[in-house]
Amino acid sequence: MPSVFETSSTATPIIFVTKSSWEAVRETLPPAQRQFAIASAFAAKPGGYLALPAPDGAIAQVLFGLEDDGAKSRDPFRPGALPGLLPAGTYRFANAPHDARLAALAFALGCYRFARYRKADRPDVRLVPPDGVDAAEISRMADAAMLARDLINTPSNDMGPEELAAAAQALAAEYGASYACTIGEELEKNFPLIHAVGMASSRAPRLIDIGWGNLDHPKVTLVGKGVCFDTGGLDLKPSSGMLIMKKDMGGAANVLALARMVMDAKLKVRLRVLIPAVENAVAGNAFRPLDIFTSRKGITVEIGNTDAEGRLVLADALALADEEKPELLIDLGTLTGAARVALGPDLPPFYTNDETLASDVARCAVQENDPLWRMPLWPPYDAWLDSKTATITNAPSGGFAGSITCALFLQRFVEQAGSWLHVDIYGWTPSAKPARPEGGECQAARAIYKVLSERYA
């Protein structure tokens, strides 16, 4: 995407106002503009917008409302609404919003439009970077988020395992990374759970493997759930639950977004990206409830529910990643409805037993306005995974603590990594917000990137 940032001496100023500051700001306006604002009943409500005219009829400056400093909640991304309101042109912040860096990022994210299948003109607006804001870093984050959004928004007929692999290969080529893909008999032999989930589809399952960076640098491995469509398998989802299952590869999309940021910033890591790419389809050869498969790690897994497939494909990929003993192992996946019931669509839970990592993730999530909430890897619930006929089941009965038991399931496949972080994302914005249009969303990637950039700059 072309950068939204540019340098210009003729940029139109944007004045941020709140209800409490509006009276003072109004008195500083030229008389004609002041009267125009009064006649327009501009009240500085959050999200309120008014373009003030110059004597020649051009736009002299823009007013935009924000929450008061003492408001119960503030949206640092509210300026992301501006690209959809402003006429074409170049703009600058005339005064400071609540957070100039996040406001600039929101402005860039607010320019996103998904236009693959219908005309959706990108706003023709530019922003002069605020003083002290690293425009290259903001662009890096925005471009990565748009990559994730594009991948998730693409419907499954055009984003199956093969197309997801092609997108990963293109990203690898852009940054000079290695690329490999395991498919067919080799996949069935070495990654039985990935093969089992994807074998009913006419679109072959595969494991995508990207490598980048100096071999002497610390190993960081990212694993992303790439279920390109999830019918639920033989435990079939209802139509309402299947409707947006094109987003079930959101973990893979966000891992690729995170990898893009890491490579673009040239962080000092030996990066590996693993994506099990499958379609969970229904056919005569689909895996069945109470089938038992021996995973790559040798753990036998009983299928308690074919709709708990994401943890299966991640398990084999995590086992492979763990064999290299990375310093840091991170997985992202759109995994459980239980996480949405507990925390909603905007606040993904994360799990780790590394207290320093947990603190860093929580801090960076707030700092980047990329919300995350720590949940416990609660040891007493581990017994719920017990199976009478296999080592573990993928879907404990009872329905309690579904996100926690999913995390505990995955933990069984991680033993040698220095630290492990698991994030149960939604990957979707159900209703539009400033800088966050309805549809596929980049979640957790910016917060995790900030953790990595602090550790491996």
Side-chain angles (χ1 to χ4, degrees):
M1 297 286 289
S3 176
V4 71
F5 299 110
E6 72 173 36
T7 301
S8 173
S9 59
T10 59
T12 302
I14 298 170
I15 302 174
F16 295 105
V17 293
T18 66
K19 286 185 178 181
S20 61
S21 70
W22 169 226
E23 184 175 349
V25 170
R26 187 179 60 204
E27 293 308 307
T28 67
L29 298 176
Q33 293 181 25
R34 184 189 318 140
Q35 187 57 40
F36 184 85
I38 294 170
S40 300
F42 181 76
K45 294 179 181 178
Y49 163 85
L50 184 65
L52 298 175
D56 63 358
I59 296 175
Q61 50 192 348
V62 170
L63 301 174
F64 188 75
L66 298 177
E67 298 88 349
D68 270 311
D69 288 339
K72 189 173 292 185
S73 64
R74 296 186 312 190
D75 183 359
F77 274 3
R78 189 164 297 283
L82 282 164
L85 300 170
L86 295 168
T90 301
Y91 297 84
R92 63 178 176 86
F93 296 165
N95 60 339
H98 296 309
D99 186 312
R101 187 178 64 86
L102 290 179
L105 175 60
F107 193 99
L109 292 173
C111 292
Y112 174 79
R113 300 292 184 271
F114 182 61
R116 178 165 175 171
Y117 300 95
R118 59 177 290 179
K119 186 176 181 180
D121 292 335
R122 187 171 185 261
D124 186 16
V125 293
R126 298 288 183 272
L127 181 68
V128 175
D131 291 342
V133 170
D134 185 343
E137 178 78 340
I138 296 297
S139 294
R140 180 178 297 126
M141 289 183 167
D143 289 346
M146 292 178 189
L147 169 64
R149 289 173 176 179
D150 277 348
L151 291 172
I152 298 170
N153 285 330
T154 302
S156 298
N157 59 312
D158 287 330
M159 187 52 65
E162 183 177 359
E163 290 82 6
L164 181 57
Q169 187 173 17
L171 181 66
E174 182 179 354
Y175 289 97
S178 66
Y179 171 85
C181 191
T182 305
I183 193 169
E185 292 182 3
E186 186 180 356
L187 184 79
E188 182 177 6
K189 176 183 177 182
N190 294 306
F191 305 97
L193 296 180
I194 299 173
H195 177 266
V197 172
M199 64 185 177
S201 174
S202 59
R203 307 157 94 182
R206 63 204 69 208
L207 178 65
I208 300 160
D209 190 345
I210 294 172
W212 175 89
N214 191 317
L215 292 173
D216 295 329
H217 287 161
K219 294 177 183 175
V220 173
T221 301
L222 313 177
V223 180
K225 174 187 170 185
V227 178
C228 295
F229 193 81
D230 181 22
T231 65
L234 294 178
D235 287 307
L236 194 68
K237 292 178 182 290
S239 58
S240 59
M242 208 184 300
L243 185 62
I244 57 171
M245 280 300 100
K246 68 177 185 177
K247 79 170 186 67
D248 215 19
M249 41 64 70
N254 278 279
V255 157
L256 290 174
L258 176 53
R260 190 188 197 285
M261 287 185 276
V262 168
M263 294 188 292
D264 194 71
K266 298 180 174 61
L267 297 189
K268 294 176 182 177
V269 298
R270 174 56 176 164
L271 182 69
R272 191 178 191 185
V273 179
L274 296 171
I275 296 173
V278 304
E279 181 176 32
N280 188 18
V282 178
N285 64 332
F287 74 124
R288 297 164 289 264
L290 299 190
D291 280 354
I292 296 176
F293 297 93
T294 302
S295 68
R296 176 182 179 85
K297 193 173 179 63
I299 296 172
T300 55
V301 181
E302 181 182 34
I303 306 304
N305 192 309
T306 63
D307 197 19
E309 85 299 330
R311 67 198 69 182
L312 296 174
V313 299
L314 285 177
D316 269 354
L318 284 170
L320 173 63
D322 193 56
E323 291 164 13
E324 276 197 332
K325 302 179 183 179
E327 180 171 291
L328 181 56
L329 175 55
I330 300 168
D331 76 80
L332 277 67
T334 51
L335 285 155
T336 69
R340 312 288 78 80
V341 171
L343 298 173
D346 301 337
L347 186 58
F350 73 92
Y351 298 83
T352 182
N353 281 327
D354 183 330
E355 295 301 322
T356 301
L357 178 61
S359 176
D360 287 346
V361 169
R363 174 177 51 81
C364 289
V366 173
Q367 177 183 319
E368 298 305 316
N369 196 35
D370 193 7
L372 295 168
W373 193 265
R374 190 183 185 187
M375 296 275 275
L377 287 160
W378 187 244
Y381 292 167
D382 197 61
W384 294 1
L385 296 172
D386 290 347
S387 164
K388 294 179 180 179
T389 54
T391 312
I392 53 175
T393 176
N394 76 324
S397 60
F400 288 141
S403 183
I404 295 175
T405 55
C406 175
L408 290 169
F409 178 92
L410 295 175
Q411 188 180 37
R412 296 286 189 103
F413 298 86
V414 179
E415 293 182 330
Q416 303 181 82
S419 295
W420 171 57
L421 173 69
H422 163 63
V423 191
D424 188 346
I425 67 170
Y426 191 50
W428 190 264
T429 299
S431 56
K433 306 176 184 68
R436 293 148 293 188
E438 180 181 342
E441 190 52 276
C442 185
Q443 288 185 318
R446 287 187 295 105
I448 296 171
Y449 164 69
K450 212 60 184 177
V451 173
L452 299 179
S453 64
E454 289 180 356
R455 294 187 175 196
Y456 305 112

